[in-house]
Amino acid sequence: MTQALPKLVTYEEFIEWYPNDGGRYELHKGVIVEMPPPTGDHENVIGFLAQKFTLEYARLQLPYRIPKTGLVKTPNNETSYSPDILLLNHDNLSNEPLWKKQSTVCSSASVPLIVEVVSTNWRDDYYDKLRDYEEMGIPEYWIADYAALGGKRFIGNPKQPTVSVCQLVGDEYQITKFTGSSLIVSPTFPELNLTAQQVFDAAL
């Protein structure tokens, strides 16, 4: 007896379903996924990085914003992510048809940088999201693995806390890994004075 596959949903169905229950949900290849509740350490890292970015884009008078919640919709209409930090180019939001009503962006021109802070579902960050952000043409993607949860192929053996900065070169990400006292190099914020260790220490 063949078991029927569960119905996959589109982005439009996902948005219509999205509950106002305080939870955080993403759409992964047509499947609705509830994100695990964040830990305090996880939120500390997000807050620290958001503060650093905000100070930098304010100093440089760049038209950037970091929304409290925002979705990134991939072109296939079956995947929509809610990044831990979504840096938006406010000047391009007028070109985003879904932004005003659904706080959703579809164009890489609206997203200079995305950060995912790694938690127990680390494969999403290192595999699926990396692939999809790369395919969308997001210029810069950080994977902040402060607790060294990712696979050894990504953060070494023995595993160590790592910030991976993925920079789009052509149509592929070039990945640079930062650990310890290494100064993080960001194409979006070339004057950012921030070490990997400062990011890890923010969790405490």
Side-chain angles (χ1 to χ4, degrees), residues 61-133:
Q61 297 184 326
L62 296 169
Y64 295 164
R65 307 275 173 83
I66 298 176
K68 180 176 180 291
T69 55
L71 294 172
V72 176
K73 177 183 171 296
T74 65
N76 64 16
N77 201 43
E78 296 173 348
T79 297
S80 183
Y81 297 127
S82 175
D84 288 319
I85 298 177
L86 174 60
L87 184 70
L88 292 178
N89 179 354
H90 189 262
D91 285 354
N92 198 63
L93 293 182
S94 59
N95 299 318
E96 291 284 357
L98 303 174
W99 175 252
K100 280 192 175 294
K101 290 188 176 181
Q102 298 163 359
S103 67
T104 299
V105 293
C106 312
S107 168
S108 61
S110 300
V111 187
L113 186 152
I114 283 177
V115 178
E116 298 288 3
V117 177
V118 177
S119 54
T120 52
N121 56 341
W122 61 267
R123 287 177 176 83
D124 290 344
D125 301 326
Y126 282 104
Y127 289 106
D128 297 341
K129 294 183 180 182
L130 187 147
R131 179 199 62 232
D132 288 339
Y133 293 152

Side-chain angles (χ1 to χ4, degrees), residues 130-198:
L130 187 147
R131 179 199 62 232
D132 288 339
Y133 293 152
E134 179 182 65
E135 186 177 340
M136 284 186 70
I138 304 299
E140 185 173 349
Y141 170 41
W142 288 29
I143 305 173
D145 198 344
Y146 71 93
L149 295 173
K152 294 174 183 175
R153 75 182 71 176
F154 302 111
I155 58 174
N157 185 14
K159 297 200 287 187
Q160 60 180 325
T162 304
V163 175
S164 300
V165 175
C166 310
Q167 177 185 3
L168 197 69
V169 178
D171 59 357
E172 293 184 19
Y173 277 144
Q174 302 297 314
I175 304 173
T176 307
K177 301 174 183 180
F178 300 93
T179 60
S181 59
S182 300
L183 199 64
I184 297 172
V185 179
S186 166
T188 304
F189 298 116
E191 298 175 29
L192 186 68
N193 186 16
L194 180 66
T195 68
Q197 193 61 50
Q198 286 176 290

Side-chain angles (χ1 to χ4, degrees), residues 4-39:
L5 291 173
K7 179 181 180 295
L8 301 180
V9 302
T10 65
Y11 164 81
E12 290 78 12
E13 291 168 330
F14 169 62
I15 287 295
E16 186 175 345
W17 164 88
Y18 206 104
N20 186 22
D21 61 1
R24 187 165 160 239
Y25 302 88
E26 295 184 336
L27 185 65
H28 293 193
K29 297 178 182 176
V31 177
I32 296 172
V33 177
E34 182 174 8
M35 309 316 299
T39 65

